[in-house]
Every structure is written in structure tokens, then in C-alpha cells.
Amino acid sequence: MKNAVRKFFTLAYALITSEWKAVAVIIIASLLQAFAVNYFTLHYKFPDLGVSGIAVLTNYAFGISPNWVILTGNIILLMWAWRDLNLHFLALTIIAILTFSAGLSIFALYPLPLPDDKFMATVIIGLLKGLGGGMMFNAGGSSGGTDIVAAAMRRRYGIEVGRFSIFINMFILALSVGVVGLESVVYGAVGLYVDGVTMDNVTRSFDRRKQAIIITNKPDEVSHFINEHGRGVTRLEGRGGYTGQPRPVLITLLDPRQVVLLKRFLKEHDERAFVSICDAAEVLGQGFKSWRSL
């Protein structure tokens, strides 16, 4: 146990120094979610999901600070699952939990004027939490709670617990009806839907690239142009199915702006080139999403 703790803190230090961008993203994302929970979820007495959902319910029913429930709940889950979690994931998750809890405490000290429109409030909640969740996911961390359970169960038993999480969250929402009333639960459900849609779109937007397959008679020039714009290119030796002539084929992954530049370059230098461009939903490897984030 002592060696594991020492190893964790060594990794955490290395993580902060070598992957400070990921740590910064996790901190910003956690603060966004804490802002949404403090100023909107708690203010309007909307429900939430997972450990945060239990925390806000105990706050509404018994006046217990959600901070303590979130910290205690996540500590229990981390103690149960730490042997099955990747240390990289574990370190980022702990940073997220501590930042979220600190953010709740800080934001509680500074009240803000809020709109009376509950529908506007629930949309704002969904946008902020979804943005934070998407940023956190792309950085390779999580906000804790059911994410810890899902990661541990996947590693321990090789099973996904998405359906199990749905049943837990439905149970929390059912309890919320008796505490905050049906109207607030409906508003909260709308916010949770906006949260999910926003997080999915943010996740896809961060990972989305364009895959270009280029058949050209000037492969060296095209490859050099792509390399100049910071992207790698793979060259395959193809053969025309009709003519039987050798046809070099280039494959590369670009962002949308680079695709525009590539098409302009080909128009000027090789109008006989053939290009196929399609969306790549997720790209892993050097220059893109790190394998360590999984």
C-alpha cells in the first residue's frame, strides 16, 4: 500500500510537469461543472445524477453540504477501485474531484444575480456541464462517481456498466420527485439531456479530423506540402485497375483548414489528381489524441 501511494504521487508530479495542458483542461472543466452545480442546480433545486445527484438530494432534504457528500462518496469509490484503475486516469480523476469540491466552496461565497426563467437555467446547466464533461473526457480524465465504477468494472470483469448506471440514475431521479417535485425533475431532465448532447458534440469536435486519400502524379511535391503544414503522410504504391499503370497513393489526416489548403495546392499543381476526403471520428497516435488518455 505504501509503495502504491508513493508511486501514485510520483506519477502525479510527473503528470503535472509533463502533461500540464491536460491537467489545466481538467481543472477548467471541473470549475465549469462546479459553477453550473453551485449557481444553477442548487439554486433552482434541480436534480443531478450519480454521486453529485445524491449530494444535491441530501442538501435539499437535510441541509448537508454537497461538498462533503461528493468528497466522501468519491473517496469510497476510489478506495474500492484503485487497484483496477490506470494510474494516469486515477491521478487526473483525483485532480478533477478536488478541483470540483474546491470550486463549490469558492463559488458558494460569491452569490450572483440569476434569471427567473427556469428553462433558460436548465439549458445553461446542460451547456456548462456538457462542455466540461467533453473537455474532461478528451483530456483522459473523469469527474469521478459512476465513471470510476465503469472503469473498474470494465478492467475487473470486462463488462460495460452503462445500463447499470442508467438504472441507478433513474432511481436517483425517482427519489428526487419526492424531494423537489415533478416540475423540477422535468426541468432537470431537460438539462441532463442538453448535457449529454453537448458532451457528445464537444467530444466529437475535439477528435474529428479529415482523412484524405490522394492519387497524384506528383507524390513528392504533395507529401512535402503536407509535411510543411505539420502533418505526416503515408505513401502506398497503387496500380490503376484499368490501365495497369503505377499510381502512387497518399493517405493523411488533416484538420478542416488544412484540407482547404491542400485542395488549393492540388488545383494549382496537379489538376489531374484524385482526392477522397471523409470524416475520421477519432484519431489516436502521435500528433493527435494520446494513447495514454485511454
Side-chain angles (χ1 to χ4, degrees):
M1 180 67 176
K2 189 178 295 184
N3 289 335
V5 172
R6 186 183 299 111
K7 186 177 180 181
F8 169 76
F9 280 108
T10 301
L11 175 69
Y13 177 77
L15 190 70
I16 293 171
T17 55
S18 65
E19 296 191 40
W20 60 269
K21 289 184 179 179
V23 174
V25 169
I26 290 290
I27 291 173
I28 293 170
S30 300
L31 290 175
L32 278 174
Q33 293 190 328
F35 184 92
V37 170
N38 182 78
Y39 287 116
F40 293 95
T41 301
L42 293 174
H43 177 80
Y44 294 96
K45 289 198 171 182
F46 289 151
D48 208 342
L49 301 180
V51 174
S52 181
I54 296 171
V56 297
L57 272 185
T58 55
N59 176 261
Y60 301 152
F62 309 111
I64 301 172
S65 169
N67 221 346
W68 293 110
V69 177
I70 289 170
L71 271 177
T72 304
N74 279 296
I75 287 172
I76 292 171
L77 290 175
L78 287 170
M79 290 176 65
W80 169 75
W82 73 272
R83 290 180 181 273
D84 302 291
L85 298 179
N86 177 285
L87 287 178
H88 181 270
F89 172 87
L90 184 63
L92 289 179
T93 300
I94 289 175
I95 291 171
I97 293 168
L98 293 177
T99 303
F100 182 82
S101 298
L104 280 180
S105 298
I106 293 170
F107 292 140
L109 301 175
Y110 302 97
L112 293 178
L114 298 172
D116 294 327
D117 190 334
K118 285 189 174 182
F119 183 77
M120 180 188 297
T122 196
V123 171
I124 292 173
I125 291 171
L127 291 174
L128 289 176
K129 294 191 70 177
L131 176 60
M135 291 170 61
M136 204 173 293
F137 179 83
N138 282 301
S142 82
S143 57
T146 53
D147 289 342
I148 297 172
V149 177
M153 295 291 281
R154 189 184 305 121
R155 180 71 65 87
R156 191 175 296 179
Y157 304 112
I159 61 173
E160 298 293 338
V161 293
R163 186 174 298 179
F164 177 68
S165 298
I166 290 173
F167 287 135
I168 291 178
N169 290 322
M170 287 178 63
F171 177 70
I172 293 173
L173 288 177
L175 287 179
S176 301
V177 174
V179 178
V180 299
L182 181 61
E183 181 183 1
S184 289
V185 170
V186 171
Y187 276 117
V190 172
L192 296 171
Y193 175 77
V194 176
D195 176 359
V197 171
T198 303
M199 185 164 66
D200 286 344
N201 280 281
V202 170
T203 302
R204 287 198 297 266
S205 297
F206 273 80
D207 282 338
R208 183 174 291 143
R209 294 292 187 274
K210 299 288 185 179
Q211 178 180 281
I213 300 175
I214 310 156
I215 301 173
T216 175
N217 291 318
K218 299 181 179 180
D220 294 333
E221 293 180 34
V222 176
S223 296
H224 181 67
F225 174 82
I226 294 171
N227 293 150
E228 280 186 332
H229 287 80
R231 292 301 180 201
V233 59
T234 298
R235 177 171 172 169
L236 307 176
E237 297 303 328
R239 184 175 295 276
Y242 178 74
T243 65
Q245 297 297 314
R247 297 300 302 271
V249 180
L250 304 178
I251 299 177
T252 186
L253 288 156
L254 309 169
D255 63 36
R257 181 185 63 84
Q258 291 166 337
V259 169
V260 174
L261 296 176
L262 174 64
K263 289 192 288 188
R264 288 177 182 171
F265 177 84
L266 292 173
K267 180 180 179 181
E268 294 176 5
H269 295 85
D270 187 8
E271 286 193 339
R272 295 179 62 84
F274 180 87
V275 183
S276 172
I277 297 171
C278 59
D279 287 327
E282 185 174 20
V283 183
L284 292 162
Q286 185 175 358
F288 297 96
K289 189 175 180 180
S290 170
W291 285 101
R292 294 186 65 186
S293 67
L294 298 181

